[in-house]
Amino acid sequence: MEILFEVLLWLLQFAAELLLQIVAEALAELGLHTLREPFRRPQPQPWLAAIAYFLFGALAGALSLLFFPAAFIAAPAGRIANLIAVPLAAGGVMAGFGAWRRRRGEELLRIDRFAYGFLFAFAMSAVRFVFAH
């Protein structure tokens, strides 16, 4: 019974980290869609956009520490697994949002693609991994 409780606790901790990442990316996407109009000009180079999403993710990770200074997952092995699993899942969710927007005929942002969503979430996870206690 104790093992079942530990597994359930780990799943809840993982879900909390994933939810935090998805909410942060959704807010970033909403903000970028809102701010898009004043900056209508050619898209930046992909590598420049990748650096920008990485920096935005790191900033989101730093801001998340103000509200959630403790790591949701306490076990060191779980935190390392979380560093990879949550960004992969968040990138998948963002790609899903992008596919949904594409079907509706809406304009896509780069964060609506897996790679940029992953970069944002990885940077956020890395900051939380290093600085959350």
Side-chain angles (χ1 to χ4, degrees):
M1 191 65 149
E2 189 174 315
I3 292 174
L4 183 61
F5 178 73
E6 288 294 322
V7 169
L8 182 61
L9 184 62
W10 186 84
L11 288 173
L12 288 173
Q13 292 168 341
F14 178 80
E17 284 284 344
L18 179 61
L19 183 63
L20 180 64
Q21 297 279 340
I22 291 171
V23 167
E25 286 194 50
L27 290 173
E29 181 184 30
L30 179 64
L32 291 170
H33 275 286
T34 302
L35 294 173
R36 171 183 59 210
E37 285 303 318
F39 300 105
R40 283 244 187 240
R41 58 183 172 175
Q43 288 281 334
Q45 296 297 322
W47 61 270
L48 186 59
I51 291 170
Y53 280 113
F54 189 85
L55 292 175
F56 287 149
L59 179 62
L63 288 174
S64 76
L65 290 170
L66 295 174
F67 299 102
F68 305 104
F72 291 114
I73 299 173
R79 292 187 70 207
I80 292 170
N82 179 66
L83 186 61
I84 301 301
V86 167
L88 286 171
V93 168
M94 293 310 293
F97 281 150
W100 178 71
R101 286 185 182 282
R102 191 175 309 111
R103 280 193 307 274
R104 294 182 54 179
E106 296 179 13
E107 187 176 350
L108 298 179
L109 294 174
R110 289 182 193 256
I111 200 167
D112 293 326
R113 295 173 181 91
F114 175 83
Y116 293 103
F118 173 83
L119 277 174
F120 183 98
F122 181 74
M124 185 173 175
S125 288
V127 167
R128 289 194 53 78
F129 179 81
V130 171
F131 296 106
H133 56 282

